[in-house]
């Protein structure tokens, strides 16, 4: 789904569509709160906003109260214990800011918060306490996986990258997989599943003229429970936002309109504005500002705030990027002197003889890294040695970040706050100082480095005979890129010319490295086959890669990133290491292990999708993760568009998926809840990327304690769970920032190089618009019927769950009308062109009479999807 546009200049066009949200704590206060979590007794702290009077009221006299007063903390505590109140994270629909949800504790349909007043000044992500409204105020609804009824254009803005370098990739959507390696995280859920739920449900509040359809006369399964916020338990949202200023001639304050429509408009004192803003407001029409909410009175739809800084002109990459980082509360400030003092001061740093005696010395082994060619933070390395008995010794060697990041230090604190590195298209916002990321912890070639290793003895069929964990020391013999490794895999019997490889350690000739890569590939194939035969699921979606100009940083070109066998090789052994470590730490610390679980998909959405697939003639099996994976790969067809159809189906199947989350085992009482649905394994964790993920650092500490080679972790179960929740929040924000960075660069590419033509496949149909997958670039866009030039009219119909739009085009030169049917899998031709609004682009459907025979193909129907199955039968 595309994000909605920001205003070009004046925010007048937005004001009729928007409404507010709420107050805030500073980033400093938020950090102080997080610090207290590491040392507190676990008691919760109320962060409900104060009710200070408005300083910038525009009217005279007492105002009517807009929002209800919050309950007291005592009332909330009692209500939660009695089950009269419900607590959960608030998710506001970025497309329709007036619609919000919180999860239902029983796992059924989410609770719906209708309108800004019901949110009571809570912002997206806040932990809120709600009260369910009486049954006669619930919504009568029917559930639609295709989103019928979402006819209005999106009215919300929701602000995607990879390692810096000349070629960078970013995910256009999420992926179900848990491999963690250096070219950026691939997540396994639909990030905005909750926030965009309304796009899949036609919520109809029916008038009292039809008594039969009033909530009291409708079965519960057709009702959506509604609720209102009575308390804000924790302000997760930073209350900072980027946006535009509007001058108000008769006021002593200006109006700040955030780009994210889920944040309210804010009155800011003129004293905060540029000195010449009152006399020359037009000069700032396209200037991006940062504002922080400081108060939100209960008698105003506007919040009050402080203007913090000017970012620069809208539409330029760096100001827009800083705006994205601000909106998602990503700390991109320089590391303080206190933090830097925690690093080794005597450089170049060398490993002490005392430390060497504590570790397994692997420096003579053939160990190497496989990463993107531009990667600088190399945190994982591999080794493979053929044993005399015909089996293999395989090692995964991970940078020992926990050696440098001591628990409780200033460095540890900032890493725990940041929780993750954030990968943008043009750069990385690191979790740790660059001296650690790129030097001391990076497994650079021909350099002694401290590591944590997992070493297995494997049969040629991939059966594990034994495993070893421990602190070690390695000396990587070469830094291979994915391209180097792929060339070895593609030509297993032909050695690469040493001239095309980076410098190699003379102790390990090219043929030894070549043989190790090929052996690892063959073992990875066996392990991968075993995983999927055992019921694992992978939902791949396309990644867009950019080529950047080295001088200007502007996008020169883009292409769909190819996920190849070399990627799969690394992925498979990272998965194996993560699973092995999960078992080890859980065995040792059943109450304190930090693991990662993936809940099964939401049953109601799966039921809806199954019904839709049945009516489309799609034979998908949702009975288990493995069954879904197998049926997705069987339901493809054999023509040139089979991969596109798989992408559309993958997108559909991603919708019901829930997010994978970190958790502390001592908090969840049932071991069945530990399970990772997509991987279909009982225990899983993150161990392989400690340079860029704080969760991995904690897991390293737990592993070291379990092996008696490190101090005991000084956190209790509740502390670990708090940190796990914080890591979840930061991971979700990082994912969204990465997506938005990608969208930003692609928008600039379209502006500089467009218009761009491409075939596209329809992946969703609504009553006045439809979504397409643009095949050449892998992006998804929404096309609005009322914006199509030359379209006389259109008609939406639906048979069961199967939606269809009939487009009637005006006569062309031949005096004949074109009638075009739009449904799932229809192949169309689109034109991507820059929008008037900075950093946005639109997709326009080409007139079918101009598009040619392929573009005017009315429908690739379900029969061609089933071609391979029919042939097999």
């Amino acid at each position: 789904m595309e994000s909605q546009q920001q205003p070009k200049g004046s925010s007048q066009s937005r004001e009729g569509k928007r409404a507010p949200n709420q107050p805030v704590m500073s980033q400093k206060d938020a950090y102080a709160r997080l610090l207290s979590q590491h040392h507190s007794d676990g008691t919760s702290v109320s962060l409900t906003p104060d009710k200070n009077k408005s300083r910038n009221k525009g009217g005279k006299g007492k105002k009517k109260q807009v929002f209800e007063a919050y309950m007291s903390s005592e009332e909330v505590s009692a209500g939660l214990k009695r089950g009269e109140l419900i607590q959960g994270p608030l998710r506001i629909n970025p497309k329709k800011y007036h619609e919000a949800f919180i999860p239902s504790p029983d796992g059924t349909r989410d609770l719906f918060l209708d309108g800004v007043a019901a949110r009571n000044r809570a912002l997206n992500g806040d932990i809120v306490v709600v009260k369910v409204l009486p049954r006669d105020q619930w919504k009568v609804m029917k559930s639609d996986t295709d989103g019928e009824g979402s006819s209005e254009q999106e009215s919300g803005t929701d602000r995607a990258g990879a390692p810096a370098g000349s070629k960078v990739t970013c995910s256009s959507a999420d992926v179900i997989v848990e491999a963690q390696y250096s070219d950026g995280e691939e997540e396994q859920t639909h990030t905005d599943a909750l926030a965009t739920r309304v796009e899949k449900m036609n919520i109809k509040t029916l008038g009292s003229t039809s008594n039969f359809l009033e909530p009291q006369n409708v079965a519960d399964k057709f009702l959506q429970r509604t609720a209102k916020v009575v308390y804000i338990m924790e302000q997760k949202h930073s209350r900072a936002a980027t946006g535009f200023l509007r001058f108000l001639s008769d006021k002593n304050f200006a109006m700040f309109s955030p780009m994210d429509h889920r944040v309210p408009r804010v009155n800011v004192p003129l004293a905060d504005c540029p000195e010449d803003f009152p006399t020359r407001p037009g000069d700032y029409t396209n200037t991006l500002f940062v504002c922080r909410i400081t108060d939100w009175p209960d008698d105003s739809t506007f919040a009050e705030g402080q203007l913090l800084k000017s970012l620069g002109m809208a539409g330029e990459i760096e100001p827009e990027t800083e705006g994205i980082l601000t909106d998602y509360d990503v700390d991109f400030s320089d590391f303080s002197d206190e933090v830097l003092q925690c690093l080794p001061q005597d450089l170049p740093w060398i490993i002490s003889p005392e430390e060497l005696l504590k570790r397994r010395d692997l420096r003579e082994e053939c160990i190497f890294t496989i990463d993107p060619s531009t990667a600088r933070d190399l945190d994982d390395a591999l080794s493979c040695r053929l044993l005399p008995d015909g089996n293999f010794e395989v090692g995964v060697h991970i940078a020992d970040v926990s050696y440098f990041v001591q628990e409780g230090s200033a460095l540890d604190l900032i890493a725990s706050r940041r929780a993750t590195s954030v990968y943008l298209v043009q750069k990385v916002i690191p979790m740790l100082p660059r001296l650690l990321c790129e030097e001391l912890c990076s497994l650079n070639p021909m350099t002694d480095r401290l590591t944590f290793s997992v070493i297995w003895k494997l049969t040629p069929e991939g059966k594990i005979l034994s495993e070893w964990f421990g602190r070690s020391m390695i000396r990587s013999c070469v830094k291979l890129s994915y391209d180097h490794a792929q060339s070895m895999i593609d030509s297993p019997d032909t050695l690469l010319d040493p001239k095309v490889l980076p410098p190699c350690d003379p102790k390990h000739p090219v043929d030894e490295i070549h043989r190790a890569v090929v052996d690892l590939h063959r073992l990875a194939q066996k392990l991968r086959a075993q995983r999927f035969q055992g019921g694992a699921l992978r939902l791949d979606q396309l990644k867009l890669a950019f080529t950047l100009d080295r001088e200007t940083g502007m996008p020169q070109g883009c292409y769909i990133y190819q996920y190849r066998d070399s990627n799969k090789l690394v992925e498979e052994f990272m998965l194996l290491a993560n699973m092995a470590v999960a078992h080890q730490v859980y065995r040792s610390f059943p109450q304190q292990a930090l693991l990662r679980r993936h809940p099964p998909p939401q049953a109601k959405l799966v039921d809806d999708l199954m019904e839709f697939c049945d009516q489309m003639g799609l034979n998908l099996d949702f009975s288990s993760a493995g069954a879904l994976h197998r049926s997705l790969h069987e339901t493809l067809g054999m023509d040139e568009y089979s991969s596109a159809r798989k992408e559309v189906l993958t997108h559909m199947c991603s919708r019901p998926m829930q997010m994978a989350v970190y958790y502390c085992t001592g908090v969840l009482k049932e071991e069945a809840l530990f399970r990772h649905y997509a991987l279909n394994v009982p225990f899983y964790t993150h161990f392989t990327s400690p340079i860029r993920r704080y969760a991995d650092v904690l897991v390293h500490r737990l592993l070291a304690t379990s092996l008696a080679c490190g101090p005991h972790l000084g956190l209790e179960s509740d502390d670990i769970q708090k940190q796990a929740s914080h890591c979840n929040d930061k991971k979700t924000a990082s994912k969204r920032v990465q997506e938005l960075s990608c969208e930003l660069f692609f928008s600039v590419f379209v502006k500089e190089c467009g218009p761009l033509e491409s075939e596209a496949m329809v992946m969703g149909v609504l009553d006045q618009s439809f979504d397409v997958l643009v095949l050449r670039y892998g992006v998804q866009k929404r096309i609005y019927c009322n914006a199509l030039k030359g379209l006389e009219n259109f008609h939406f119909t639906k048979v069961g769950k199967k939606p269809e739009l009939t487009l009637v085009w005006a006569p062309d030169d031949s005096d004949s009308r074109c009638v075009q049917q739009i449904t799932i899998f229809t192949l169309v031709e689109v034109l991507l062109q820059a929008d008037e609004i900075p950093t946005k682009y639109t997709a326009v459907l080409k007139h079918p009479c101009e598009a040619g025979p392929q573009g005017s193909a009315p429908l690739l129907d379900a029969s061609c999807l089933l071609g391979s199955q029919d042939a097999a039968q």
Side-chain angles (χ1 to χ4, degrees):
M1 298 286 186
E2 63 192 277
S3 301
Q4 181 58 23
Q5 292 85 342
Q6 66 198 42
K8 180 178 179 182
S10 168
S11 55
Q12 287 179 341
S13 62
R14 298 153 42 105
E15 290 182 19
K17 298 181 181 179
R18 302 198 62 261
N21 284 341
Q22 144 160 18
V24 67
M25 63 167 52
S26 69
Q27 189 175 39
K28 180 179 179 182
D29 292 338
Y31 281 176
R33 181 191 77 227
L34 187 59
L35 174 59
S36 71
Q37 291 177 354
H38 288 276
H39 307 286
S40 70
D41 59 4
T43 56
S44 63
V45 179
S46 168
L47 293 171
T48 299
D50 61 37
K51 305 183 210 41
N52 295 335
K53 295 298 181 182
S54 170
R55 301 187 309 275
N56 295 325
K57 289 183 179 179
K60 296 180 179 180
K62 187 175 181 180
K63 284 189 173 184
K64 181 181 178 181
Q65 185 168 322
V66 177
F67 302 104
E68 291 186 12
Y70 296 111
M71 286 185 172
S72 67
S73 57
E74 294 78 14
E75 290 172 320
V76 168
S77 179
L80 289 171
K81 288 180 180 178
R82 291 193 299 265
E84 297 170 355
L85 303 176
I86 296 172
Q87 179 177 319
L90 181 70
R91 293 289 180 266
I92 304 173
N93 186 352
K95 312 297 183 182
K96 299 178 182 178
Y97 69 87
H98 55 279
E99 297 173 337
F101 302 90
I102 74 160
S104 176
D106 59 7
T108 58
R109 185 175 290 135
D110 290 353
L111 300 176
F112 179 57
L113 285 76
D114 189 10
V116 176
R119 295 206 298 269
N120 203 357
R121 295 163 287 172
L123 295 187
N124 190 62
D126 287 352
I127 306 300
V128 298
V129 177
V130 302
K131 181 178 182 179
V132 177
L133 297 175
R135 196 175 192 276
D136 61 2
Q137 296 183 43
W138 295 359
K139 299 294 181 181
V140 179
M141 60 167 290
K142 68 173 182 174
S143 176
D144 292 320
T145 48
D146 59 48
E148 176 206 0
S150 296
S151 58
E152 65 181 84
Q153 296 191 16
E154 298 102 323
S155 58
T157 302
D158 191 15
R159 290 280 206 163
S166 61
K167 289 186 179 181
V168 289
T169 64
C170 53
S171 172
S172 63
D174 299 326
V175 179
I176 290 194
V177 68
E178 278 291 357
Q180 309 305 335
Y181 50 99
S182 303
D183 68 340
E185 184 84 39
E186 291 183 325
E187 187 57 81
Q188 68 288 344
T189 64
H190 193 306
T191 304
D192 295 325
L194 292 178
T196 60
R197 179 76 48 77
V198 75
E199 294 296 304
K200 292 168 273 181
M201 293 191 298
N202 180 18
I203 299 176
K204 297 181 178 179
T205 306
L206 303 172
S208 58
T209 55
S210 175
N211 292 329
F212 177 73
L213 290 178
E214 289 183 352
Q216 58 267 32
N217 298 320
V218 176
D220 283 355
K221 68 177 182 178
F222 297 115
L223 292 177
Q224 171 106 23
R225 288 189 296 167
T226 57
K228 64 179 180 181
V229 172
V230 296
Y231 194 77
I232 301 177
M233 187 66 73
E234 184 177 358
Q235 290 183 341
K236 292 273 191 174
H237 192 285
S238 69
R239 268 60 184 176
T242 59
F244 298 87
L245 275 183
R246 181 189 172 198
F247 180 66
L248 305 174
S249 59
D250 57 342
K251 308 293 183 184
N252 64 347
F253 55 88
M255 178 182 291
F256 175 81
S257 293
M259 294 175 66
D260 185 346
H261 287 239
R262 296 171 296 181
V263 180
R265 287 170 291 174
V266 186
N267 293 333
V268 296
L270 280 178
D272 286 355
C273 302
E275 187 175 347
D276 60 345
F277 177 71
T279 57
R280 302 178 63 88
D283 291 354
Y284 297 92
T285 296
N286 290 318
T287 302
L288 280 173
F289 291 91
V290 177
C291 176
R292 187 181 299 281
I293 296 173
T294 55
D295 186 28
W296 193 349
D298 60 10
D299 61 355
S300 176
T301 55
F302 302 110
E304 296 186 344
Q306 176 185 8
L307 206 63
L308 300 183
K309 64 186 294 189
S310 167
L311 297 180
M313 296 299 291
E316 296 180 358
I317 285 178
E318 288 310 314
E320 292 283 353
T321 296
E322 188 170 341
I324 293 170
L325 295 171
T326 299
D327 285 347
Y328 284 85
D329 195 25
V330 174
D331 181 1
F332 56 95
S333 62
D334 293 334
F335 290 96
S336 68
D337 290 340
E338 182 185 10
V339 169
L340 297 177
Q341 284 299 313
C342 297
L343 303 176
Q345 300 299 303
D346 295 330
L347 300 176
W349 176 81
I350 57 173
I351 301 170
S352 68
E354 296 79 17
E355 186 60 33
L356 178 58
L357 292 174
K358 301 175 184 178
R359 295 172 178 266
R360 183 170 172 176
D361 192 347
L362 302 173
R363 288 176 293 177
E364 299 300 316
E365 300 290 329
C366 179
I367 297 175
F368 47 86
T369 59
I370 304 177
D371 289 280
S373 58
T374 55
R376 291 183 291 184
D377 50 350
L378 315 180
D379 53 10
D380 58 83
L382 294 165
S383 61
C384 182
R385 181 164 62 93
L386 179 64
L387 300 174
D389 61 3
N391 295 311
F392 292 91
E393 182 183 84
V394 175
V396 168
H397 314 277
I398 306 300
D400 191 357
V401 175
S402 62
Y403 173 84
F404 296 95
V405 183
Q406 297 296 311
E407 184 176 357
S409 66
L411 176 58
D412 183 41
L413 178 59
I414 193 65
S416 71
R417 292 169 181 167
R418 295 193 178 201
T420 182
S421 295
V422 179
Y423 289 83
L424 306 168
V425 167
Q426 77 278 34
K427 59 185 175 183
V428 179
I429 310 299
M431 181 182 78
L432 296 168
R434 295 196 180 277
L435 178 60
L436 284 186
C437 293
E438 300 175 9
E439 293 295 331
L440 303 183
C441 290
S442 186
L443 307 182
N444 298 325
M446 290 170 281
T447 308
D448 292 352
R449 287 290 177 253
L450 302 179
T451 47
F452 235 126
S453 297
V454 185
I455 299 175
W456 301 273
K457 185 177 181 181
L458 295 173
T459 69
E461 290 72 37
K463 181 181 178 181
I464 297 175
L465 301 177
S466 66
E467 67 183 6
W468 177 88
F469 304 93
R471 282 188 143 143
S472 56
M473 182 161 61
I474 70 166
R475 182 181 178 89
S476 171
C477 61
V478 66
K479 176 190 174 184
L480 296 178
S481 69
Y482 283 115
D483 289 337
H484 295 138
Q486 190 62 43
S487 296
M488 296 176 182
I489 291 169
D490 291 339
S491 303
D493 299 322
T494 304
L495 292 181
L496 289 180
D497 186 336
K499 295 179 181 178
V500 305
L501 290 174
C504 298
D505 189 329
K507 294 180 182 178
H508 302 286
V510 172
D511 64 328
E512 183 182 8
I513 298 168
H514 181 102
R515 186 168 59 251
V517 170
V518 172
D519 287 341
L520 283 171
H521 165 63
R522 289 169 178 163
L523 287 168
Q525 286 182 308
K526 300 288 186 181
L527 292 169
R528 188 177 181 86
Q530 291 172 20
R531 278 202 308 113
F532 289 116
Q533 288 168 6
L537 165 69
R538 182 183 176 99
L539 293 183
D540 278 322
Q541 295 190 10
L542 302 177
K543 296 174 71 173
L544 188 61
F546 293 90
T547 303
L548 305 182
D549 184 278
R550 291 189 177 276
E551 293 184 2
T552 66
M554 296 289 282
Q556 288 181 318
C558 63
Y559 55 94
I560 295 175
Y561 182 76
Q562 296 299 310
Y563 184 76
R564 299 176 295 174
D565 286 337
S566 55
N567 302 85
K568 295 175 184 178
L569 181 161
V570 177
E571 170 190 291
E572 212 55 50
F573 288 103
M574 299 305 110
L575 285 168
L576 194 64
N578 286 334
M579 288 185 280
V581 170
H583 282 268
Q584 171 68 15
V585 297
Y586 181 57
R587 281 194 302 266
S588 304
F589 304 104
Q591 296 299 310
Q592 287 181 291
L594 177 64
L595 302 185
R596 187 164 173 80
R597 68 190 185 96
H598 183 210
Q602 299 169 83
K604 181 64 176 69
L605 294 182
V606 170
D607 291 343
D608 291 340
L609 184 55
M610 287 175 64
E611 185 179 346
F612 172 77
C613 288
D614 286 344
Q615 295 183 1
M616 288 292 294
L618 301 174
N619 186 24
L620 292 185
D621 184 351
F622 293 89
S623 60
S624 68
L628 178 56
H629 181 87
R630 287 189 294 271
S631 61
L632 267 175
H633 284 74
E634 293 167 354
T635 311
L636 286 178
M638 301 298 290
D639 60 64
E640 59 182 311
Y641 296 105
S642 61
S643 61
R645 287 192 290 272
K646 181 185 174 184
E647 178 72 16
V648 171
L649 286 174
T650 298
H651 176 79
M652 290 178 180
C653 294
S654 296
R655 289 176 175 175
M657 298 298 167
Q658 300 194 64
M659 298 190 70
V661 292
Y662 300 112
Y663 69 100
C664 178
T665 53
V667 174
L668 285 184
K669 302 306 179 187
E670 297 181 38
E671 200 171 276
L673 297 175
F674 295 4
R675 194 164 192 84
H676 195 292
Y677 172 80
L679 291 174
N680 195 30
V681 294
F683 307 107
Y684 189 72
T685 194
H686 277 170
F687 159 76
T688 53
S689 293
I691 287 179
R692 62 187 179 91
R693 287 190 310 238
Y694 188 72
D696 301 52
V697 176
L698 292 180
V699 170
H700 276 228
R701 290 174 181 166
L702 286 167
L703 181 60
T705 304
S706 76
L707 301 172
C709 61
H712 194 278
L713 186 67
L715 297 176
E716 299 300 325
S717 295
D718 287 345
D719 301 315
I720 295 173
Q721 182 59 39
K722 288 177 181 177
Q723 184 63 56
S725 297
H726 180 68
C727 288
N728 291 332
D729 294 337
K730 288 299 184 180
K731 186 177 176 65
T732 299
S734 171
K735 180 70 176 178
R736 188 61 188 139
V737 167
Q738 180 177 333
E739 292 167 352
L740 291 168
S741 176
C742 189
E743 291 176 15
L744 170 63
F745 271 77
F746 189 67
S747 297
V748 171
F749 178 71
V750 173
K751 181 179 178 181
E752 297 297 320
C753 304
L756 308 175
E757 295 186 16
S758 175
E759 289 180 303
M761 186 170 283
V762 176
M763 57 193 310
V765 179
L766 291 82
D767 56 352
Q768 297 186 39
S769 62
F770 54 97
D771 297 323
V772 297
L773 172 67
V774 183
L775 302 185
R776 184 177 177 186
Y777 302 104
V779 298
Q780 301 170 16
K781 290 295 285 183
R782 176 161 294 178
I783 296 176
Y784 296 97
C785 296
N786 58 14
L788 295 178
K789 293 181 180 179
L791 192 68
E792 280 193 344
N793 58 67
F794 59 89
H795 177 62
F796 177 84
T797 57
K798 192 168 188 186
V799 179
K801 298 282 180 181
K802 183 178 179 180
E804 185 174 293
L805 274 168
T806 302
L807 308 183
V808 181
W809 296 85
D812 62 359
D813 295 339
S814 63
D815 258 356
S816 61
R817 271 187 177 79
C818 286
V819 178
Q820 190 176 22
Q821 303 297 120
I822 301 293
T823 190
I824 308 296
F825 305 120
T826 297
L827 191 63
V828 297
E829 289 198 17
V830 299
L831 193 67
L832 305 180
Q833 55 193 26
D835 198 287
E836 293 181 355
I837 299 168
T839 73
K840 298 297 174 183
Y841 68 98
T842 57
V844 178
L845 189 64
K846 294 183 68 174
H847 195 298
C849 294
E850 300 172 355
Q854 194 172 36
S856 61
L859 174 67
L860 293 177
D861 63 23
S863 62
C864 63
L865 286 172
L866 303 176
S868 59
Q869 290 178 299
D870 292 342
Q873 293 171 354

